[in-house]
């Protein structure tokens, strides 16, 4: 996301729901700054033992989920509670408009 200090990457605990990426945050936390802006959302996996990995980058607009029924639905579907604790009451939804992926494997495979 873009902040007053420039580009920033922040970790979030996310879910994939239907065709969207969603995460919970506190309304006053840094990830809430993304609401109303275009963001890039990246997920990576590296397997050191196998010398391989992958990366997926999704780009879309981050929007606050304000509909009470939708918030309840997301609360019900969430598989985990946020590790940082209570107060993560703002659901942010990203509907990707562009998705790219990259797979890394050793050259001899």
């Amino acid at each position: 996301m873009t902040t007053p200090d420039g580009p920033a990457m922040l970790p979030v605990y996310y879910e994939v729901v239907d065709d969207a990426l969603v995460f919970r945050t506190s309304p006053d936390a840094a990830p809430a700054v993304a609401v109303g802006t275009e963001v890039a959302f990246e997920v990576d996996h590296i397997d050191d033992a196998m010398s391989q990995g992958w990366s997926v980058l999704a780009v879309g607009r981050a929007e606050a989920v304000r509909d009470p029924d939708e918030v309840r639905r997301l609360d019900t579907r969430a598989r985990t509670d946020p590790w940082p604790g209570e107060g993560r009451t703002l659901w942010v939804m990203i509907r990707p408009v562009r998705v790219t992926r990259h797979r890394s494997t050793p050259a001899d495979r």
Side-chain angles (χ1 to χ4, degrees), residues 6-109:
M9 293 175 59
L10 300 169
V12 295
Y13 304 93
Y14 72 98
E15 303 276 342
V16 177
V17 176
D18 302 328
D19 61 347
L21 301 159
V22 295
F23 63 91
R24 284 184 279 196
T25 190
S26 296
D28 59 348
V33 173
V35 170
T37 68
E38 184 176 53
V39 297
F41 187 96
E42 184 173 356
V43 179
D44 305 301
H45 175 75
I46 296 174
D47 184 338
D48 285 326
M50 298 298 291
S51 299
Q52 61 186 15
W54 53 261
S55 179
V56 175
L57 179 70
V59 176
R61 189 168 182 82
E63 298 293 344
V65 177
R66 305 214 187 273
D67 178 65
D69 291 336
E70 184 66 5
V71 169
R72 275 191 295 281
R73 182 175 88 96
L74 293 173
D75 285 340
T76 301
R77 289 194 62 173
R79 291 174 279 167
T80 61
D81 290 325
W83 290 1
E86 298 298 318
R88 280 28 182 208
T89 58
L90 173 64
W91 279 100
V92 178
M93 180 176 288
I94 303 165
R95 293 194 187 278
V97 295
R98 187 172 66 249
V99 177
T100 57
R101 65 181 189 262
H102 175 76
R103 184 169 193 75
S104 297
T105 58
D108 61 347
R109 290 189 193 174

